[in-house]
Amino acid sequence: MNAGLRASAAALLAAALLATATPVVAHHSAAAAYDETKKVEAQGAVTRILVRNPHSWIFLESTDDKGQKIEWQIEMGGAPSMAWTKDGLPIGMVVKVAGHPSRAPGTHGITGATFAKADGTPIGPRAGRGETPQQ
């Protein structure tokens, strides 16, 4: 094998290794997108739930103090870690959520969320660990 062909083969092998390793290294810390030094609370009706990997999402609709509609986007773990019962969070249910707010100005994102019913009763996979929203 000549030197040029070896160099090409080595470059192709390096590119293939990099391409297969990238998804493992690409997972990011929540601290880049969310302010883990702050807490935010929201209350609203569940409008949709997307259970997928690497992150699942729960969307709430609420209104601000001016009566404007707000869509809260709650970033959760992947499908295996969701751990909700089938009827644990039905569409239309009004819930309270507390967690870390998005760093992006003008957005309504939350991560590290805990959930409670409108009356404050904890619900969801983190409810049994004493991680409940403030009332």
Side-chain angles (χ1 to χ4, degrees), residues 114 122 126-133:
T114 56
R126 298 174 75 183
R129 298 191 294 207
E131 303 172 16
T132 56

Side-chain angles (χ1 to χ4, degrees), residues 27-100:
H27 196 269
H28 57 275
S29 166
Y34 298 94
D35 188 342
E36 294 181 346
T37 66
K38 296 179 181 173
K39 284 277 191 179
V40 66
E41 296 179 7
Q43 180 170 324
V46 176
T47 59
R48 79 192 142 122
I49 300 172
L50 300 175
V51 179
R52 56 180 59 157
N53 287 316
H55 299 277
S56 295
W57 296 85
I58 297 173
F59 297 87
L60 304 181
E61 184 178 286
S62 66
T63 54
D64 65 13
D65 54 356
K66 298 175 185 171
Q68 300 294 315
K69 285 186 181 180
I70 296 173
E71 180 183 63
W72 288 93
Q73 303 165 1
I74 297 94
E75 183 174 359
M76 307 290 285
S81 67
M82 281 295 286
W84 289 87
T85 62
K86 181 181 177 189
D87 299 318
L89 199 64
I91 302 299
M93 179 179 189
V94 175
V95 295
K96 293 181 179 182
V97 180
H100 305 294

